[in-house]
Amino acid sequence: GFINTKGQIVIKPDLQFALWFKEGLAPVKIDGKWGYINKANKLVIKPQFTEALNFQDGLAAVSINNKTGFINKSGKIVIPAQY
């Protein structure tokens, strides 16, 4: 889960795993797959990746079947998984 700067829980700790927020989204692991939530705890990119990293400059690296590609903030693959 996540807390604010006052130590108050703002997103319940019911996620399997989560990374930090960057560019308004955080990668989260749910039922063994990675997706992304926003700061309102709304799932904005459904869990579908085997691995996922934080966004940087509007793109995030994700892995599908042990190959890495990049998605944009709407979850669209903009650089297909190749290597």
Side-chain angles (χ1 to χ4, degrees), residues 3-63:
I3 60 172
N4 64 18
T5 57
K6 296 177 183 177
Q8 301 165 319
I9 294 174
V10 292
I11 296 178
K12 293 179 185 180
D14 60 358
L15 301 164
Q16 192 174 5
F17 196 81
L19 296 178
W20 55 93
F21 279 94
K22 194 162 180 193
E23 297 189 21
L25 299 176
V28 294
K29 191 173 189 179
I30 301 171
D31 295 328
K33 296 286 184 181
W34 287 87
Y36 292 81
I37 60 170
N38 63 17
K39 290 184 178 182
N41 196 25
K42 180 181 176 192
L43 194 61
V44 294
I45 300 173
K46 72 176 184 167
Q48 58 191 299
F49 308 108
T50 52
E51 293 182 49
L53 297 177
N54 288 91
F55 277 89
Q56 183 172 327
D57 298 322
L59 298 177
V62 295
S63 292

Side-chain angles (χ1 to χ4, degrees), residues 2-3 7 20 23-24 29-30 60 72-73 77 79 81 83:
F2 292 88
I3 60 172
W20 55 93
E23 297 189 21
K29 191 173 189 179
I30 301 171
N72 63 19
K73 288 185 174 184
I77 295 173
I79 300 174
Y83 306 102

Side-chain angles (χ1 to χ4, degrees), residues 67-78:
K67 294 183 179 182
T68 301
F70 289 84
I71 61 170
N72 63 19
K73 288 185 174 184
S74 63
K76 181 181 177 188
I77 295 173
V78 293

